[in-house]
Amino acid sequence: MTPFRAKFKEFWSRLTWPDLVSTAVAAGGLLAAIFGFNGRFFDFLKYLAVLAGVYLLFRLIGWWRNRLLWSLRNRLIVAYLFIAFVPILLTVTLVFLAGRILYSQLGAYLLHEDIQHRIEMIADISEHIAIAHQTLPSNVKERESERILAAQSHAVHDQELPGLSISFSSDTSLLRNVAPGKKSFAGLLHQGDTLSLTSLRAIPDRNGERVITLRVPVNSDFLSTVAPDLGAIQLNLMERYEGSAQKEVIYSSGGKQYKVANRIVASNRRLQDPMFWIDTPVNVVSSFDSVFVAKDGKVEKSRPVLAVFNARPLRLSRRIFATLGELRDSYLLLLIVVGVVFLFIEAAALATGIVLTRRITRAVADLYRGTQYVQVMDFSHRVQIEKRDQLGELGESFNKMTGSIANLVEEENKRRRLENEISIAREVQNQLFPSTLPSVPGVEIEAICKAARSVSGDYYDFIQLSPTHIAIAIADISGKGISAALLMASLQAALRSQMLAEGSERLSMVELVSRLNKHLARNTGDDRFATFFIAIYDSATRTLRYTNAGHLPAFLICSGASQQLDKGGMVLGVLEDYAYEEGSLTVSPDSLLIGYSDGLIEPENVYGEEFGIRRLQEAAVRVQGAAPLMVAESLMAAVEEWAGTPEQADDMTVIVARLR
């Protein structure tokens, strides 16, 4: 199979039914759009094609991302871009946007400052005329003095204030309307379709009061002289908008709505040529407050005038740095040096990132190739180590690992063989326990043994000696695991060899236990021993003979009372010649004999208290009327509930015999 066919087969296997359906729908919608098919069906098909295209786009992005990021090198490059490049890009973008906002505000400030300066200028002119008018000699007529003062002002200020007009009038109504209770006014005055810089000042004369009016019309010629650092300028005169259907651009100010009524465009003004390719213009919209006087004399104190203009950032920057004086060149040089150093550091960081990326990915690629050798069970391959850094240590660790894998494989094989042997030992041990329970009239017996490990060190046995005699034994071998299980098998073999002999039902318990003691003492080490309890019950005479060799005392329950069976002696396998004691008693009808190992009384609760013999007896008394199996299960459940956990620290064994 060719590589192309293999890749196509892999790609095809990844496609789902939604992918195929979406592809078909998108193709159908594209064909309908190309050939211009119209109609409800084709329109709906085009709509579905858009949805299918969006779905396929997300699927393609996910597939491409997985393919791209599979390689560690690509992951590191992407991580480096997000760690280094993206923050720089975001910072540059933020600086660019902040610069645009700053330059927009600077341009608006220059325009406002220039117009405000001219308003203050005509206010000063009107004040100077008023002062001069009051100081003229009395023999000079008012008309003549007004003409002389106006001519002087024109001669001085016509260049800065093109179109300046100065008039004197006895009509004070305009001043009273625009500035009620005041003697002067200076600002933007919007009358009808005209806008002007206006100054009104009342001065006393011989006949009462006159008003000096200075006007500079805000027209195309005036705007051509304003803020020379800006580009094209346009002022939009606004009027109240009272309509309901919004068909035009509406401007809201002070809770009122306005629309454009007239436009004033500066003549001979255009955007300056860029100094560099990055010198992109900023477009600004700002507003002025004007006093509007309607034709009927009504006054609106604050009507907006929108100013729209553009400017070059570097032209505005030159205006900013023009005030640095002698240090201007030094500051500019410092800025350039810092920029060059910054670019050098960024280039060095980029080169360092590329070198580190190649080194890391080369080391990872070597390790990946090493794993391919390991997969085919070739442990002779070694990774080449170039640097004694952490990656070199990783390669060294890989080499050590491959060198020890063979030993680990061998150890695993040994462990499996051991587990197999333990499994066999567990099966053999299960055969040591009685597979069928003896049938003796008037006797019901049950036993449960739960091993803490795979094999148990506890032992129990039931041996029928005659039609009316049964032997009941329970033992606990020291230690756990295989060694305890082997000693248990030895004890079981010795016990059965004694009990299956002719006339064993009449054998003394002392003699039997002494023989078992000698057997263990002679055939085991000094540190190996076993606790042992054995009893022979005769159902015909209801006699129970027993010997307890260091085992926890079994107890006999009858009518709610408990009697411990503790006569015997020390554990088996310690002293070869030891005299044991036999106990004998007559069993009352319907008694319950219970034997157990220490794993049943030693579990502790969360407070560190052991379950103990007393609690075990009390639990047995509560269920003494139940069947032997139910009694055994109840005792096991009581112990597990006391411990609060199903985990065992020791083997747990209990035998229950109902003696009718």
Side-chain angles (χ1 to χ4, degrees), residues 216-231:
V216 177
V218 179
N219 50 28
S220 299
D221 294 335
F222 173 79
L223 291 181
S224 63
T225 64
V226 174
D229 293 309
L230 304 181

Side-chain angles (χ1 to χ4, degrees), residues 141-435:
K141 296 181 178 180
E142 291 183 352
R143 300 292 182 183
E144 183 66 19
S145 66
E146 292 171 358
R147 185 186 63 79
I148 294 172
L149 293 173
Q152 292 176 348
S153 299
H154 279 295
V156 176
H157 300 289
D158 274 355
Q159 186 174 359
E160 290 184 281
L161 301 172
L164 173 65
S165 65
I166 303 174
S167 63
F168 297 83
S169 173
S170 299
D171 184 6
T172 61
S173 59
L174 181 60
L175 178 60
R176 289 197 303 271
N177 288 337
V178 299
K182 296 182 179 181
K183 295 296 184 178
S184 63
F185 165 81
L188 283 173
L189 188 64
H190 184 184
Q191 289 180 290
D193 294 335
T194 63
L195 181 69
S196 62
L197 307 182
T198 303
S199 175
L200 303 174
R201 181 175 291 275
I203 59 175
D205 65 355
R206 300 184 182 93
N207 298 323
E209 194 174 53
R210 291 173 66 80
V211 175
I212 306 172
T213 303
L214 279 75
R215 293 179 186 271
V216 177
V218 179
N219 50 28
S220 299
D221 294 335
F222 173 79
L223 291 181
S224 63
T225 64
V226 174
D229 293 309
L230 304 181
I233 301 176
Q234 174 182 302
L235 294 184
N236 296 326
L237 304 184
M238 313 300 289
E239 64 180 10
R240 293 286 295 276
Y241 177 76
E242 304 294 346
S244 57
Q246 185 173 333
K247 299 180 181 180
E248 305 177 61
V249 178
I250 304 303
Y251 176 77
S252 298
S253 177
K256 302 175 183 178
Q257 293 184 326
Y258 298 90
K259 66 178 182 178
V260 177
N262 190 20
R263 294 179 174 85
I264 305 172
V265 181
S267 61
N268 300 323
R269 290 288 293 262
R270 67 180 184 85
L271 184 64
Q272 302 90 343
D273 295 331
M275 297 182 182
F276 298 101
W277 62 271
I278 60 173
D279 192 16
T280 57
V282 292
N283 299 307
V284 187
V285 177
S286 184
S287 66
F288 295 88
D289 288 332
S290 66
V291 177
F292 175 74
V293 179
K295 294 180 180 180
D296 58 0
K298 292 184 179 180
V299 176
E300 185 177 342
K301 293 294 185 180
S302 179
R303 172 167 289 193
V305 176
L306 291 186
V308 181
F309 60 92
N310 53 23
R312 293 286 182 185
L314 291 182
R315 185 68 177 263
L316 298 177
S317 298
R318 189 169 62 180
R319 177 66 180 271
I320 295 174
F321 288 101
T323 58
L324 292 179
E326 296 296 331
L327 297 178
R328 178 181 61 183
D329 296 337
S330 300
Y331 288 148
L332 292 177
L333 179 60
L334 177 62
L335 180 61
I336 294 173
V337 170
V338 171
V340 171
V341 172
F342 177 81
L343 292 177
F344 176 77
I345 294 174
E346 178 62 21
L350 179 61
T352 303
I354 294 175
V355 171
L356 291 177
T357 299
R358 291 179 59 85
R359 184 175 299 171
I360 293 173
T361 53
R362 185 184 299 113
V364 173
D366 291 341
L367 290 174
Y368 178 73
R369 284 193 299 271
T371 59
Q372 301 301 311
Y373 284 98
V374 172
Q375 287 182 1
V376 297
M377 305 300 290
D378 182 2
F379 305 123
S380 62
H381 177 75
R382 294 294 181 267
V383 174
Q384 185 177 0
I385 300 174
E386 298 179 356
K387 300 285 185 178
R388 303 306 301 182
D389 52 8
Q390 191 172 20
L391 290 174
E393 292 295 329
L394 180 61
E396 182 67 24
S397 298
F398 180 84
N399 292 336
K400 292 179 180 179
M401 179 193 69
T402 55
S404 60
I405 283 182
N407 295 332
L408 294 177
V409 171
E410 182 63 26
E411 291 293 332
E412 176 66 16
N413 293 333
K414 291 181 180 179
R415 185 184 65 82
R416 290 181 180 179
R417 288 194 296 269
L418 180 60
E419 288 181 352
N420 186 41
E421 292 173 358
I422 292 176
S423 177
I424 296 173
R426 182 168 58 250
E427 294 178 1
V428 172
Q429 186 184 51
N430 290 336
Q431 295 176 2
L432 297 179
F433 293 111
S435 57

Side-chain angles (χ1 to χ4, degrees), residues 1-53:
M1 182 180 295
T2 63
F4 174 77
R5 292 184 60 186
K7 291 183 179 179
F8 179 78
K9 185 177 181 180
E10 180 185 0
F11 174 75
W12 182 262
S13 64
R14 292 177 178 270
L15 293 178
T16 61
W17 281 109
D19 298 338
L20 298 176
V21 173
S22 299
T23 303
V25 171
L30 181 61
L31 292 176
I34 292 175
F35 292 104
F37 296 143
N38 295 316
R40 292 184 177 179
F41 171 76
F42 291 107
D43 292 341
F44 183 67
L45 180 61
K46 293 175 185 177
Y47 171 73
L48 291 180
V50 173
L51 297 181

